[in-house]
Amino acid sequence: MACRIKKFAILFFMTFSFMVNAKYTIAIYTDQKDNKNANEYVELMQKTFPFNVYEIDYKIIGLEPKDLPCRVETDYKPGTAPSDPKTKVSESSVKCDQVALIKKTQEMHADQAMVIKTDTEFAGSGGDIAMITTATPVSALLHEFLHVLGFCDDYEYKAKDADIFCKDDGSVQNGVNAVIITPKDNYKGDSDARRLHWSAITWNKLIENRTPITNSNGSKLGTGDINKDLAPANNTNSFTILDDPIGLYKGKVCNNASKPIVVWHPGGKVSIMDNHTAGLGVAYEKLVMKILDSKGVKRKSNAPEKEDDDEVILVQPNKPAGKNQSYYGESNPPASDSSTKTYDQRNPFKVLGDLLKDAIYGNGSQSK
Amino acid sequence: MTFLMKSYVIIFLLNFSAHAATSACGKTVSYLFKIDPKGNSTLVDPLSTKDEFCDEGRNEYNANYRIEILDKNKKMIYHKNIFMNTTTISEGISPKKDGTFKSTKIEFLGATRIVKFPNNEQMTSARFYKVRNLKTKEEQISEIIWPVE
């Protein structure tokens, strides 16, 4: 039987190799002569979990400075000598003709553009593409790439920035890793907090039942505050171990706004969205995997197995749980919208895998 | 029929049915999906290639836009939900090796990304596309230029 399964598997993969997609390709544009930083960035990505367990190709495109449509902007006080750091009005920022770069990326059949621009200033930016200068450590480019994927900053904004960018309508500081929740003064336990806020916590499927989202005997919101420990760099093929449980941790990004708003994050340690020398931490690793999976980026064979989202079932948004329903237990499944099925539900590979198991073992077999 | 032959027939049929069931395979067509600073969206610059493509990214995590491809009767023939960060976050970074960020500027300058579609027989009936902002629920319908395979 083992031999038959082996033969079947070989045939299966041979056949499916015709319909396997091209790899997800990141094009890195740089005007640095030896491409040193671009190579460093590729090395970083190839060893950093979870990016290292996905089929991602990197293409480094070396360009002459005149051919890279980017510049570094710094404002200086009028009438002062340019480049004198003492006369700087604002920090530097990298600006590119993104459309031109993305068009070029499309033409080379790649998926995502990044830029490393030669300059002595320390700056980066993220949005539709990720950019840094050559003076900036490449770990900051990973921070910027996470912005591209939908992550918000975790670091504390200065008062002048916080007043502009911390809006209580959630238009800015709501992302895959951040949510604005104004806590009540007092809760009647963890269930009360879950009933009120569960649907607002976008990563709630990652929070285990045993992890509270409250402290002080369920009276205060938050699994805790983000502590001062940096999430370690993770160069293994699996999730960070010895991390805090995924929960609801009080962040600091908007602490300095004149009208402070409370932003919450899933991880308890300082992450790369706070400090670019930190790792992602288990919460962001899981979120990145969800994002890459949903983009159709293929996992390598050494990647952790896909987790079943249905393991943690949610309360239906804005509906208090009934007497016989737990807020996050098995008896209260989320409302499903047929037009927004999860990727797994429609994944033809998974469906076919199950069918093949049936073909080999008979109809009684059950996939995981 | 040997076991291997039987296996191959089964796999071929499953493979074929999977393609047919999802209608998400074909050659590749990529577009630039652009949002201008006012929030108007366009799907432009189609680029068609012979590369085989099965679209496994039709429901992106945290999607904020839904793109529907419509036929001449404005009946949907394909859709995908995608995420695109529409803000540009410019950050000043500390020259020290402490890894900290010094300043932030968040701007709504418009954004662009590459969106891929399968190019198969069904898709050749594409005449329009609809973009729905999943946060604001705003919709726009425009004509699409679909490349002939």
Side-chain angles (χ1 to χ4, degrees), chain B:
Chain B
M1 249 187 179
T2 65
F3 172 76
L4 281 179
M5 284 171 75
K6 279 182 194 168
S7 302
Y8 205 87
V9 169
I10 292 170
I11 290 167
F12 176 81
L13 290 172
L14 290 172
N15 188 353
F16 184 78
S17 61
H19 277 67
T22 59
S23 299
C25 295
K27 306 290 181 195
T28 314
V29 179
S30 64
Y31 280 83
L32 296 188
F33 177 57
K34 294 182 181 177
I35 301 291
D36 72 14
K38 290 178 183 169
N40 299 313
S41 54
T42 49
L43 206 53
V44 293
D45 290 347
L47 183 71
S48 171
T49 72
K50 297 282 181 199
D51 297 339
E52 288 293 332
F53 174 61
C54 288
D55 192 354
E56 294 179 37
R58 295 179 67 180
N59 272 306
E60 291 187 7
Y61 193 79
N62 198 36
N64 51 358
Y65 290 95
R66 179 182 175 89
I67 301 173
E68 293 181 4
I69 306 295
L70 314 172
D71 67 10
K72 63 180 179 185
N73 300 317
K74 298 196 175 163
K75 187 183 162 200
M76 188 181 76
I77 53 174
Y78 199 80
H79 77 273
K80 61 193 291 178
N81 297 330
I82 62 158
F83 171 78
M84 179 164 72
N85 192 346
T86 54
T87 59
T88 300
I89 302 149
S90 302
E91 295 168 305
I93 296 166
S94 170
K96 297 174 192 166
K97 290 185 176 172
D98 59 3
T100 56
F101 294 86
K102 288 172 73 178
S103 65
T104 315
K105 190 176 180 186
I106 301 174
E107 297 169 286
F108 297 87
L109 303 170
T112 305
R113 68 160 270 184
I114 297 162
V115 182
K116 289 180 178 171
F117 297 94
N119 195 1
N120 54 34
E121 201 179 328
Q122 186 190 8
M123 297 297 272
T124 55
S125 61
R127 296 291 179 276
F128 300 93
Y129 66 95
K130 179 159 83 177
V131 176
R132 183 172 203 216
N133 182 322
L134 295 173
K135 285 190 177 169
T136 64
K137 312 293 181 200
E138 285 170 14
E139 287 183 353
Q140 274 180 251
I141 295 183
S142 313
E143 281 188 43
I144 195 167
I145 299 165
W146 191 267
V148 180
E149 201 177 332

Side-chain angles (χ1 to χ4, degrees), chain A residues 38-234:
Chain A
N39 282 312
E40 263 180 43
Y41 180 70
V42 173
E43 275 175 38
L44 175 74
M45 292 292 277
Q46 285 176 337
K47 69 182 181 187
T48 300
F49 183 83
F51 299 100
N52 62 353
V53 296
Y54 282 88
E55 301 280 1
I56 302 176
D57 263 354
Y58 301 89
K59 285 185 182 172
I60 298 172
I61 300 105
L63 296 171
E64 291 296 318
K66 66 177 172 52
D67 296 326
L68 183 64
C70 299
R71 64 198 183 281
V72 177
E73 287 183 355
T74 311
D75 294 329
Y76 293 93
K77 279 181 190 166
T80 59
S83 308
D84 178 359
K86 289 176 191 165
T87 63
K88 255 192 201 178
V89 175
S90 67
E91 296 301 327
S92 306
S93 60
V94 191
K95 302 278 184 193
C96 290
D97 179 349
Q98 279 112 311
V99 176
L101 285 168
I102 294 168
K103 177 75 187 150
K104 209 177 182 69
T105 305
Q106 179 199 28
E107 286 164 0
M108 65 170 65
H109 306 165
D111 299 276
Q112 178 62 50
M114 294 189 181
V115 169
I116 301 179
K117 169 76 184 158
T118 300
D119 203 278
T120 53
E121 295 289 340
F122 293 78
S125 73
D128 48 12
I129 69 179
M131 306 175 267
I132 58 165
T133 62
T134 46
T136 309
V138 293
S139 53
L141 188 57
L142 179 47
H143 170 103
E144 304 304 348
F145 181 45
L146 290 171
H147 279 312
V148 174
L149 296 181
F151 283 75
C152 295
D153 288 315
D154 289 0
Y155 60 86
E156 195 172 72
Y157 285 174
K158 288 182 175 169
K160 67 178 172 61
D161 297 331
D163 274 339
I164 302 169
F165 305 124
C166 290
K167 300 180 192 300
D168 53 12
D169 64 359
S171 57
V172 179
Q173 292 306 326
N174 266 342
V176 291
N177 64 321
V179 66
I180 295 168
I181 296 174
T182 304
K184 287 199 325 176
D185 291 338
N186 197 40
Y187 292 86
K188 295 173 190 164
D190 207 63
S191 299
D192 184 32
R194 287 185 186 242
R195 183 179 56 79
L196 288 168
H197 304 307
W198 196 245
S199 62
I201 304 168
T202 52
W203 57 88
N204 59 19
K205 289 181 181 177
L206 301 179
I207 302 175
E208 290 189 19
N209 290 354
R210 62 171 179 262
T211 305
I213 62 162
T214 50
N215 61 77
S216 307
N217 289 326
S219 64
K220 301 287 176 201
L221 190 64
T223 308
D225 290 353
I226 294 176
N227 60 48
K228 289 189 167 54
D229 298 335
L230 267 60
N234 180 2

Side-chain angles (χ1 to χ4, degrees), chain A residues 315-336:
Chain A
V315 66
Q316 292 184 25
N318 305 322
K319 276 188 183 175
K323 229 177 186 180
N324 298 319
Q325 296 171 316
S326 65
Y327 299 125
Y328 38 92
E330 303 73 29
S331 58
N332 203 6
S336 65

